[in-house]
Every structure is written in structure tokens, then in C-alpha cells.
Coordinates of all heavy atoms in Angstrom, one line a residue:
M702 N 22.1 108.3 140.6 CA 22.0 107.1 139.8 C 21.4 107.4 138.4 O 20.4 108.0 138.3 CB 21.0 106.1 140.5 CG 20.8 104.9 139.8 SD 19.9 103.7 140.8 CE 18.3 103.8 140.0
T703 N 22.1 107.0 137.4 CA 21.7 107.2 136.0 C 21.5 105.8 135.4 O 22.3 105.0 135.5 CB 22.7 108.0 135.2 OG1 22.9 109.2 135.9 CG2 22.2 108.3 133.8
I704 N 20.3 105.7 134.8 CA 20.0 104.4 134.1 C 20.2 104.6 132.6 O 19.5 105.3 132.0 CB 18.6 104.0 134.4 CG1 18.4 103.9 135.9 CG2 18.3 102.7 133.7 CD1 17.0 103.7 136.3
H705 N 21.3 104.0 132.1 CA 21.5 104.0 130.7 C 21.5 102.6 130.1 O 22.0 101.7 130.7 CB 22.9 104.6 130.4 CG 22.9 106.1 130.5 ND1 22.4 106.9 129.6 CD2 23.4 106.8 131.5 CE1 22.6 108.2 130.0 NE2 23.2 108.1 131.2
T706 N 20.8 102.4 129.0 CA 20.7 101.1 128.4 C 21.6 101.0 127.2 O 21.5 100.0 126.4 CB 19.2 100.8 128.0 OG1 18.8 101.8 127.1 CG2 18.4 100.8 129.2
G707 N 22.4 101.9 126.9 CA 23.3 101.8 125.7 C 23.2 103.1 124.9 O 22.9 104.1 125.4
D708 N 23.5 102.9 123.6 CA 23.5 104.2 122.8 C 22.0 104.6 122.5 O 21.1 103.8 122.6 CB 24.4 104.0 121.6 CG 23.7 103.4 120.4 OD1 22.6 103.9 120.0 OD2 24.2 102.4 119.8
K709 N 21.9 105.9 122.1 CA 20.6 106.4 121.9 C 19.8 105.7 120.8 O 18.6 105.8 120.8 CB 20.7 107.9 121.5 CG 21.2 108.8 122.7 CD 20.1 109.4 123.3 CE 20.6 110.3 124.4 NZ 19.7 110.7 125.4
S710 N 20.4 105.0 119.9 CA 19.6 104.2 118.9 C 18.8 103.1 119.5 O 17.9 102.6 118.9 CB 20.6 103.7 117.9 OG 21.4 102.7 118.4
A711 N 19.1 102.7 120.8 CA 18.4 101.7 121.5 C 17.2 102.3 122.2 O 16.6 101.7 123.1 CB 19.3 101.0 122.5
D712 N 16.8 103.5 121.8 CA 15.7 104.3 122.4 C 14.7 103.5 123.2 O 14.5 102.3 123.0 CB 15.1 105.1 121.3 CG 14.1 106.1 121.8 OD1 14.4 106.8 122.8 OD2 13.0 106.2 121.3
G713 N 14.0 104.2 124.1 CA 13.0 103.6 124.9 C 11.8 103.1 124.2 O 10.9 102.4 124.7
E714 N 11.7 103.4 122.9 CA 10.6 102.9 122.1 C 10.6 101.4 122.0 O 9.6 100.8 121.7 CB 10.7 103.5 120.7 CG 10.4 105.0 120.6 CD 10.7 105.6 119.3 OE1 10.5 104.9 118.3 OE2 11.0 106.8 119.3
N715 N 11.7 100.8 122.3 CA 11.8 99.3 122.4 C 11.4 98.7 123.7 O 11.3 97.5 123.8 CB 13.2 98.8 122.0 CG 13.6 99.2 120.6 OD1 12.8 99.3 119.7 ND2 14.9 99.6 120.5
R716 N 11.1 99.6 124.7 CA 10.7 99.1 126.0 C 9.2 99.3 126.2 O 8.6 100.3 125.6 CB 11.5 99.9 127.1 CG 12.9 99.5 127.1 CD 13.7 100.4 128.1 NE 14.2 101.6 127.4 CZ 14.7 102.6 127.9 NH1 14.9 102.7 129.2 NH2 15.2 103.6 127.1
T717 N 8.6 98.5 126.9 CA 7.1 98.6 127.2 C 6.9 99.9 128.0 O 7.8 100.3 128.7 CB 6.6 97.4 127.9 OG1 7.1 97.3 129.2 CG2 6.8 96.1 127.1
A718 N 5.6 100.3 128.0 CA 5.2 101.5 128.8 C 5.5 101.2 130.3 O 5.9 102.0 131.0 CB 3.8 101.8 128.5
E719 N 5.2 99.9 130.7 CA 5.4 99.5 132.1 C 6.8 99.6 132.5 O 7.1 100.1 133.6 CB 4.8 98.1 132.3 CG 3.3 97.9 132.1 CD 2.9 97.7 130.7 OE1 3.7 97.7 129.8 OE2 1.7 97.6 130.5
V720 N 7.7 99.2 131.6 CA 9.2 99.2 131.9 C 9.6 100.7 132.0 O 10.4 101.0 132.9 CB 10.0 98.4 130.9 CG1 11.5 98.7 131.0 CG2 9.7 96.9 131.1
L721 N 9.2 101.5 131.1 CA 9.5 102.9 131.1 C 9.1 103.6 132.4 O 9.8 104.4 133.0 CB 9.0 103.6 129.9 CG 9.7 103.3 128.6 CD1 8.9 103.9 127.4 CD2 11.1 103.9 128.6
A722 N 7.8 103.2 132.8 CA 7.3 103.8 134.0 C 8.1 103.4 135.3 O 8.4 104.2 136.1 CB 5.8 103.4 134.2
L723 N 8.5 102.2 135.3 CA 9.3 101.7 136.4 C 10.7 102.4 136.4 O 11.2 102.8 137.5 CB 9.5 100.2 136.4 CG 8.2 99.4 136.6 CD1 8.5 97.9 136.4 CD2 7.7 99.7 138.0
E724 N 11.3 102.5 135.3 CA 12.6 103.2 135.2 C 12.5 104.6 135.5 O 13.3 105.2 136.2 CB 13.2 103.0 133.8 CG 13.6 101.6 133.4 CD 14.1 101.5 132.0 OE1 13.9 102.4 131.2 OE2 14.7 100.4 131.7
A725 N 11.4 105.3 135.1 CA 11.1 106.7 135.4 C 10.9 106.9 136.9 O 11.4 107.8 137.5 CB 9.9 107.2 134.7
L726 N 10.2 105.9 137.6 CA 10.1 106.0 139.0 C 11.4 105.9 139.7 O 11.7 106.7 140.6 CB 9.1 104.9 139.5 CG 9.0 104.8 141.0 CD1 8.4 106.1 141.6 CD2 8.1 103.6 141.4
G727 N 12.2 105.0 139.3 CA 13.5 104.9 139.9 C 14.3 106.2 139.7 O 15.0 106.6 140.7
W728 N 14.3 106.8 138.6 CA 15.0 108.0 138.3 C 14.4 109.1 139.2 O 15.1 109.9 139.9 CB 14.8 108.4 136.9 CG 15.5 109.7 136.6 CD1 16.8 110.0 136.4 CD2 14.8 111.0 136.6 NE1 17.0 111.3 136.2 CE2 15.8 112.0 136.4 CE3 13.5 111.4 136.8 CZ2 15.5 113.3 136.3 CZ3 13.2 112.8 136.7 CH2 14.2 113.7 136.5
A729 N 13.1 109.2 139.3 CA 12.4 110.3 140.1 C 12.8 110.2 141.6 O 12.9 111.2 142.2 CB 10.9 110.2 139.9
L730 N 12.9 109.0 142.1 CA 13.2 108.8 143.5 C 14.7 109.0 143.8 O 15.0 109.0 145.0 CB 12.8 107.4 143.9 CG 11.3 107.1 143.8 CD1 11.0 105.7 144.2 CD2 10.5 108.1 144.6
T731 N 15.5 109.3 142.9 CA 17.0 109.5 143.2 C 17.2 110.9 143.7 O 18.3 111.2 144.3 CB 17.9 109.4 141.9 OG1 17.5 110.3 140.9 CG2 17.8 108.0 141.4
D732 N 16.2 111.8 143.7 CA 16.3 113.2 144.2 C 15.2 113.4 145.2 O 14.0 113.2 144.9 CB 16.2 114.2 143.1 CG 16.3 115.6 143.6 OD1 17.4 116.1 143.7 OD2 15.2 116.2 143.8
E733 N 15.6 113.7 146.5 CA 14.7 113.7 147.6 C 13.6 114.8 147.3 O 12.4 114.5 147.5 CB 15.4 114.0 148.9 CG 14.5 114.0 150.1 CD 15.2 114.2 151.4 OE1 16.4 113.9 151.4 OE2 14.5 114.5 152.4
K734 N 13.9 116.0 146.8 CA 12.9 117.0 146.6 C 12.0 116.6 145.5 O 10.8 116.8 145.6 CB 13.6 118.3 146.2 CG 14.2 119.0 147.4 CD 14.8 120.4 147.1 CE 15.4 121.0 148.3 NZ 15.8 122.4 148.1
R735 N 12.5 116.0 144.4 CA 11.6 115.5 143.3 C 10.7 114.4 143.8 O 9.6 114.3 143.5 CB 12.5 115.1 142.2 CG 11.7 114.7 140.9 CD 12.6 114.4 139.7 NE 13.7 113.5 140.0 CZ 14.9 113.8 139.8 NH1 15.3 115.0 139.3 NH2 15.9 112.9 140.1
A736 N 11.3 113.5 144.7 CA 10.5 112.4 145.2 C 9.3 112.9 146.0 O 8.2 112.5 145.9 CB 11.3 111.4 146.0
E737 N 9.6 113.9 146.9 CA 8.6 114.5 147.7 C 7.5 115.2 146.8 O 6.3 115.1 147.1 CB 9.2 115.6 148.7 CG 10.0 114.9 149.8 CD 10.7 115.9 150.6 OE1 10.5 117.2 150.5 OE2 11.5 115.5 151.5
R738 N 7.9 115.9 145.8 CA 7.0 116.5 144.8 C 6.2 115.5 144.1 O 5.0 115.7 143.9 CB 7.8 117.4 143.8 CG 7.0 118.4 143.1 CD 7.8 119.4 142.4 NE 9.1 118.9 142.1 CZ 9.5 118.6 140.9 NH1 8.9 118.8 139.9 NH2 10.7 118.1 140.6
L739 N 6.8 114.4 143.7 CA 6.0 113.3 143.1 C 4.9 112.8 144.0 O 3.7 112.7 143.6 CB 7.0 112.1 142.8 CG 6.3 110.8 142.4 CD1 5.7 110.9 141.0 CD2 7.3 109.7 142.4
L740 N 5.2 112.6 145.3 CA 4.2 112.1 146.2 C 3.1 113.2 146.4 O 1.9 112.9 146.4 CB 4.8 111.7 147.5 CG 5.8 110.5 147.5 CD1 6.4 110.3 148.8 CD2 5.1 109.3 146.9
S741 N 3.5 114.4 146.6 CA 2.6 115.5 146.8 C 1.6 115.7 145.7 O 0.4 115.9 145.8 CB 3.4 116.8 147.1 OG 2.5 117.9 147.3
L742 N 2.2 115.8 144.5 CA 1.4 116.1 143.3 C 0.5 115.0 142.8 O -0.6 115.2 142.2 CB 2.2 116.7 142.2 CG 2.9 118.0 142.5 CD1 3.8 118.4 141.3 CD2 1.9 119.1 142.7
T743 N 1.0 113.7 143.0 CA 0.2 112.6 142.5 C -0.8 112.0 143.5 O -1.7 111.3 143.2 CB 1.1 111.4 142.1 OG1 1.9 111.0 143.2 CG2 2.1 111.8 141.0
G744 N -0.5 112.4 144.8 CA -1.4 111.8 145.8 C -1.0 110.4 146.2 O -1.6 109.8 147.1
L745 N 0.1 109.9 145.6 CA 0.6 108.6 146.0 C 1.3 108.6 147.3 O 1.8 109.7 147.7 CB 1.6 108.1 144.9 CG 1.0 107.8 143.5 CD1 2.1 107.6 142.5 CD2 0.0 106.7 143.6
T746 N 1.4 107.5 148.0 CA 2.1 107.4 149.2 C 3.2 106.4 149.0 O 3.2 105.6 148.1 CB 1.2 106.8 150.4 OG1 0.8 105.5 150.0 CG2 0.0 107.8 150.6
P747 N 4.2 106.4 149.9 CA 5.3 105.4 149.7 C 4.7 104.0 149.8 O 5.1 103.1 149.0 CB 6.2 105.7 150.9 CG 6.0 107.1 151.2 CD 4.6 107.4 150.9
E748 N 3.7 103.8 150.6 CA 3.1 102.4 150.7 C 2.4 102.0 149.4 O 2.5 100.9 148.9 CB 2.1 102.4 151.9 CG 1.5 101.0 152.0 CD 0.7 100.9 153.3 OE1 1.0 101.5 154.3 OE2 -0.4 100.2 153.2
R749 N 1.7 103.0 148.8 CA 1.0 102.8 147.6 C 2.0 102.5 146.5 O 1.7 101.6 145.6 CB 0.1 104.0 147.2 CG -0.6 103.8 145.9 CD -1.7 102.8 146.0 NE -2.5 102.8 144.7 CZ -2.6 101.8 143.9 NH1 -2.1 100.6 144.3 NH2 -3.3 101.9 142.8
L750 N 3.1 103.2 146.4 CA 4.1 102.9 145.4 C 4.7 101.5 145.6 O 4.8 100.7 144.6 CB 5.3 103.9 145.5 CG 5.0 105.3 144.9 CD1 6.2 106.2 145.2 CD2 4.8 105.1 143.4
R751 N 5.0 101.1 146.8 CA 5.6 99.8 147.1 C 4.6 98.7 146.7 O 5.0 97.7 146.1 CB 5.9 99.6 148.6 CG 7.3 100.2 148.9 CD 7.7 99.8 150.4 NE 6.9 100.3 151.4 CZ 7.0 101.6 151.9 NH1 7.9 102.4 151.4 NH2 6.2 102.0 152.9
H752 N 3.4 98.8 147.1 CA 2.4 97.7 146.9 C 1.6 97.8 145.6 O 0.9 96.9 145.2 CB 1.4 97.7 148.1 CG 2.1 97.4 149.3 ND1 2.7 96.2 149.6 CD2 2.3 98.2 150.4 CE1 3.2 96.2 150.8 NE2 3.0 97.4 151.3
G753 N 1.7 99.0 144.9 CA 1.0 99.1 143.7 C 1.8 99.4 142.4 O 1.3 99.8 141.4
I754 N 3.1 99.1 142.5 CA 3.9 99.5 141.4 C 3.6 98.7 140.1 O 3.9 99.1 139.0 CB 5.4 99.3 141.8 CG1 6.3 100.0 140.8 CG2 5.8 97.8 141.9 CD1 6.1 101.5 140.7
D755 N 2.9 97.6 140.3 CA 2.5 96.8 139.1 C 1.1 97.3 138.5 O 0.6 96.8 137.5 CB 2.5 95.3 139.4 CG 1.5 94.9 140.5 OD1 1.1 95.8 141.3 OD2 1.2 93.7 140.6
D756 N 0.6 98.3 139.2 CA -0.7 98.9 138.8 C -0.5 99.9 137.7 O 0.3 100.8 137.9 CB -1.4 99.5 140.0 CG -2.7 100.1 139.7 OD1 -2.8 101.1 139.0 OD2 -3.7 99.6 140.3
R757 N -1.2 99.8 136.6 CA -1.1 100.7 135.5 C -1.4 102.1 135.8 O -0.8 103.1 135.3 CB -1.9 100.2 134.3 CG -1.4 99.0 133.6 CD -2.3 98.4 132.5 NE -2.5 99.3 131.4 CZ -1.7 99.2 130.3 NH1 -0.8 98.3 130.2 NH2 -1.9 100.1 129.3
G758 N -2.3 102.3 136.8 CA -2.7 103.6 137.2 C -1.5 104.3 137.9 O -1.3 105.5 137.7
V759 N -0.8 103.6 138.8 CA 0.3 104.1 139.5 C 1.4 104.4 138.5 O 2.0 105.5 138.5 CB 0.8 103.1 140.6 CG1 2.1 103.6 141.1 CG2 -0.2 103.0 141.6
Q760 N 1.7 103.5 137.6 CA 2.7 103.7 136.5 C 2.4 105.0 135.7 O 3.3 105.8 135.4 CB 2.8 102.5 135.7 CG 3.3 101.3 136.4 CD 3.1 100.0 135.6 OE1 2.6 100.0 134.5 NE2 3.6 98.9 136.2
A761 N 1.1 105.1 135.3 CA 0.7 106.3 134.5 C 0.9 107.6 135.3 O 1.4 108.6 134.8 CB -0.7 106.1 134.1
A762 N 0.6 107.5 136.6 CA 0.8 108.7 137.5 C 2.2 109.2 137.5 O 2.5 110.4 137.5 CB 0.2 108.4 138.9
V763 N 3.1 108.2 137.6 CA 4.6 108.6 137.6 C 4.9 109.3 136.3 O 5.6 110.3 136.3 CB 5.4 107.3 137.8 CG1 6.9 107.6 137.6 CG2 5.2 106.8 139.2
L764 N 4.5 108.7 135.1 CA 4.9 109.3 133.9 C 4.2 110.7 133.6 O 4.7 111.6 133.1 CB 4.6 108.3 132.7 CG 5.5 107.1 132.7 CD1 5.0 106.1 131.6 CD2 6.9 107.5 132.5
E765 N 2.9 110.8 134.1 CA 2.2 112.0 134.0 C 2.9 113.1 134.9 O 2.9 114.3 134.5 CB 0.8 111.9 134.4 CG 0.0 111.1 133.4 CD -1.4 110.7 133.9 OE1 -1.7 111.0 135.1 OE2 -2.2 110.1 133.1
F766 N 3.4 112.7 136.0 CA 4.1 113.6 136.9 C 5.3 114.3 136.1 O 5.5 115.5 136.1 CB 4.6 112.9 138.1 CG 5.7 113.6 138.8 CD1 5.4 114.7 139.7 CD2 7.0 113.2 138.8 CE1 6.4 115.4 140.4 CE2 8.0 113.9 139.4 CZ 7.7 115.0 140.3
L767 N 6.0 113.4 135.4 CA 7.1 113.9 134.6 C 6.6 114.8 133.4 O 7.2 115.8 133.1 CB 8.0 112.8 134.0 CG 8.7 111.9 135.1 CD1 9.4 110.8 134.4 CD2 9.7 112.8 135.9
A768 N 5.6 114.3 132.7 CA 5.1 115.0 131.6 C 4.6 116.4 131.9 O 4.6 117.3 131.1 CB 3.9 114.2 130.9
N769 N 4.1 116.6 133.1 CA 3.6 117.9 133.6 C 4.7 118.9 134.0 O 4.4 120.0 134.4 CB 2.6 117.7 134.7 CG 1.3 117.1 134.2 OD1 0.9 117.4 133.1 ND2 0.7 116.2 135.0
H770 N 6.0 118.5 134.0 CA 7.1 119.4 134.4 C 8.2 119.1 133.4 O 9.0 118.2 133.6 CB 7.5 119.0 135.8 CG 8.5 120.0 136.4 ND1 8.2 121.4 136.6 CD2 9.8 119.9 136.7 CE1 9.3 122.0 137.1 NE2 10.2 121.1 137.2
E771 N 8.2 120.0 132.4 CA 9.1 119.7 131.3 C 10.6 119.6 131.7 O 11.3 118.7 131.1 CB 9.0 120.9 130.2 CG 9.8 120.6 129.0 CD 9.6 121.7 127.9 OE1 8.9 122.7 128.2 OE2 10.1 121.5 126.8
P772 N 11.1 120.3 132.6 CA 12.6 120.1 133.0 C 12.8 118.7 133.5 O 13.8 118.0 133.1 CB 12.8 121.1 134.1 CG 11.8 122.2 133.8 CD 10.6 121.5 133.3
D773 N 11.9 118.1 134.3 CA 12.0 116.7 134.7 C 11.8 115.8 133.6 O 12.5 114.8 133.5 CB 11.0 116.4 135.8 CG 11.5 117.0 137.2 OD1 12.7 117.4 137.3 OD2 10.7 117.0 138.1
L774 N 10.9 116.0 132.7 CA 10.6 115.2 131.6 C 11.9 115.0 130.7 O 12.3 113.9 130.4 CB 9.4 115.7 130.8 CG 9.1 114.9 129.5 CD1 8.6 113.5 129.9 CD2 8.0 115.7 128.7
I775 N 12.5 116.2 130.4 CA 13.7 116.1 129.6 C 14.8 115.4 130.3 O 15.5 114.6 129.7 CB 14.1 117.6 129.1 CG1 13.0 118.1 128.2 CG2 15.4 117.6 128.5 CD1 13.0 119.6 127.9
A776 N 15.0 115.7 131.5 CA 16.1 115.1 132.3 C 15.9 113.6 132.4 O 16.8 112.8 132.3 CB 16.2 115.8 133.7
A777 N 14.7 113.2 132.7 CA 14.4 111.8 132.8 C 14.6 111.1 131.5 O 15.2 110.0 131.4 CB 12.9 111.6 133.3
A778 N 14.1 111.7 130.4 CA 14.3 111.1 129.1 C 15.8 110.9 128.8 O 16.2 109.8 128.3 CB 13.6 111.9 128.0
D779 N 16.6 111.9 129.1 CA 18.0 111.8 128.9 C 18.6 110.7 129.7 O 19.4 109.8 129.2 CB 18.7 113.1 129.2 CG 20.2 113.1 128.8 OD1 20.5 112.7 127.7 OD2 21.0 113.5 129.7
A780 N 18.3 110.6 131.0 CA 18.8 109.6 131.9 C 18.4 108.2 131.5 O 19.1 107.3 131.7 CB 18.4 109.9 133.3
L781 N 17.2 108.1 130.9 CA 16.7 106.8 130.6 C 17.0 106.4 129.1 O 16.5 105.4 128.6 CB 15.2 106.7 130.8 CG 14.7 107.0 132.3 CD1 13.2 107.0 132.4 CD2 15.3 105.9 133.2
N782 N 17.7 107.3 128.5 CA 18.1 107.0 127.1 C 16.9 106.9 126.2 O 16.9 105.9 125.4 CB 19.0 105.8 127.1 CG 19.8 105.7 125.8 OD1 20.2 106.7 125.2 ND2 20.1 104.5 125.3
T783 N 16.0 107.8 126.3 CA 14.9 107.8 125.4 C 14.5 109.2 125.1 O 15.2 110.2 125.4 CB 13.7 107.1 126.1 OG1 12.7 106.8 125.1 CG2 13.1 107.8 127.3
K784 N 13.3 109.4 124.5 CA 12.9 110.8 124.1 C 11.7 111.2 125.0 O 10.9 110.3 125.4 CB 12.4 110.8 122.6 CG 13.4 110.4 121.6 CD 12.8 110.3 120.3 CE 13.8 109.7 119.3 NZ 13.2 109.2 118.1
P785 N 11.6 112.5 125.3 CA 10.5 112.9 126.1 C 9.1 112.5 125.5 O 8.2 112.0 126.3 CB 10.6 114.4 126.1 CG 12.0 114.7 125.8 CD 12.5 113.6 124.9
E786 N 9.0 112.5 124.2 CA 7.7 112.1 123.6 C 7.4 110.6 123.8 O 6.2 110.2 123.9 CB 7.6 112.5 122.2 CG 8.7 112.0 121.3 CD 9.9 113.0 121.2 OE1 10.1 113.9 122.0 OE2 10.6 112.9 120.2
T787 N 8.4 109.8 124.0 CA 8.2 108.4 124.2 C 7.6 108.2 125.6 O 6.8 107.4 125.8 CB 9.6 107.6 124.1 OG1 10.0 107.8 122.7 CG2 9.4 106.2 124.3
L788 N 8.1 109.0 126.6 CA 7.6 108.9 128.0 C 6.1 109.4 128.0 O 5.3 108.8 128.7 CB 8.4 109.7 128.9 CG 9.9 109.2 129.1 CD1 10.7 110.1 130.0 CD2 9.9 107.8 129.7
V789 N 5.8 110.4 127.3 CA 4.5 110.9 127.2 C 3.5 109.9 126.6 O 2.4 109.7 127.1 CB 4.4 112.3 126.5 CG1 3.0 112.8 126.3 CG2 5.2 113.4 127.3
A790 N 4.0 109.3 125.5 CA 3.2 108.3 124.8 C 3.0 107.1 125.7 O 1.9 106.5 125.8 CB 3.9 107.8 123.5
A791 N 4.0 106.7 126.5 CA 3.8 105.6 127.5 C 2.8 105.9 128.5 O 2.0 105.1 128.9 CB 5.2 105.3 128.1
A792 N 2.8 107.2 129.0 CA 1.7 107.6 130.0 C 0.3 107.4 129.3 O -0.6 106.9 130.0 CB 2.0 109.0 130.4
R793 N 0.2 107.9 128.1 CA -1.1 107.8 127.4 C -1.5 106.3 127.3 O -2.7 105.9 127.5 CB -1.1 108.4 126.0 CG -1.2 109.9 126.1 CD -1.4 110.4 124.7 NE -0.8 111.7 124.6 CZ 0.3 112.0 123.8 NH1 0.8 111.1 123.0 NH2 0.8 113.2 123.8
E794 N -0.6 105.5 126.9 CA -0.8 104.0 126.8 C -1.3 103.4 128.1 O -2.3 102.6 128.1 CB 0.4 103.3 126.3 CG 0.2 101.8 126.1 CD 1.5 101.1 125.6 OE1 2.3 101.7 124.9 OE2 1.6 99.9 125.9
L795 N -0.7 103.8 129.2 CA -1.0 103.2 130.5 C -2.4 103.7 130.9 O -3.1 103.0 131.7 CB 0.0 103.6 131.5 CG 1.4 102.8 131.3 CD1 2.5 103.4 132.2 CD2 1.2 101.3 131.6
N796 N -2.8 104.9 130.5 CA -4.1 105.4 130.8 C -5.2 104.9 130.0 O -6.4 105.1 130.3 CB -4.1 106.9 130.7 CG -3.7 107.6 132.0 OD1 -4.0 107.1 133.1 ND2 -2.9 108.6 131.9
A797 N -4.9 104.2 128.9 CA -5.9 103.7 127.9 C -6.7 102.6 128.5 O -6.3 101.8 129.4 CB -5.3 103.3 126.6

């Protein structure tokens, strides 16, 4: 599953950090090994994701997971039609 919002000029900078985090989570969960790694490295559980997805801490954890693994960060940014630095900035914003 690839989430595209249009041409690259519509970059993720126009989306809120919360929206980017939700889109990033959707992208991360499309690959079973990546999803398992997300849970393992963040300490999140499937239940916590389901019930805490509106929590800024959970959203930040998803984006930090991507920021800490450059290949995933770049792939997610491409799939979400944004820039890697936009995802990193969104993680910082959610942690503020």
C-alpha cells in the first residue's frame, strides 16, 4: 500500500505533524518485519497503538522509529510524498 497525495509540490509540509504520524504508521504497518521492528524498538503494543493513536507520544514514537533508520525514513518519505526532514521535524514537534 502506497499513500500518495498528489505531486511532490503538495509536500507533507502542508500536513500537520499528527497527520504525518498517522500516515507514517500506516506505511510502517504494511510490512510485517518492519511492523514487528516498530513494536520491538518503540516498546509499543498493538493494543497501545489501537487505543493511543491520538496520543502525541505514540505519534512521536512512530516518527522517531523512522528517523532512527534512514532507509525506512527515506522510503516512508517517498511513499508519503514528503521529505525525510519533514518527518523528522514532525517528530520534534510532537515531542515538544
Side-chain angles (χ1 to χ4, degrees):
M702 177 172 105
T703 304
I704 302 170
H705 285 284
T706 58
D708 87 53
K709 291 262 183 196
S710 65
D712 189 42
E714 294 173 27
N715 296 326
R716 291 175 269 172
T717 66
E719 294 84 0
V720 168
L721 285 169
L723 293 173
E724 291 177 349
L726 176 61
W728 177 83
L730 295 178
T731 62
D732 178 83
E733 187 175 338
K734 286 185 180 185
R735 185 175 46 239
E737 289 174 9
R738 197 167 25 109
L739 168 71
L740 297 176
S741 175
L742 294 175
T743 62
L745 295 170
T746 63
E748 183 175 324
R749 177 72 174 120
L750 282 175
R751 276 191 294 278
H752 299 292
I754 196 59
D755 59 344
D756 181 294
R757 290 173 65 92
V759 171
Q760 294 167 356
V763 170
L764 292 174
E765 288 170 356
F766 164 76
L767 295 175
N769 288 324
H770 188 65
E771 188 174 6
D773 281 348
L774 177 64
I775 292 168
D779 185 53
L781 300 176
N782 198 33
T783 193
K784 299 174 189 165
E786 54 268 23
T787 301
L788 294 175
V789 172
R793 281 193 214 115
E794 180 181 332
L795 290 167
N796 271 322

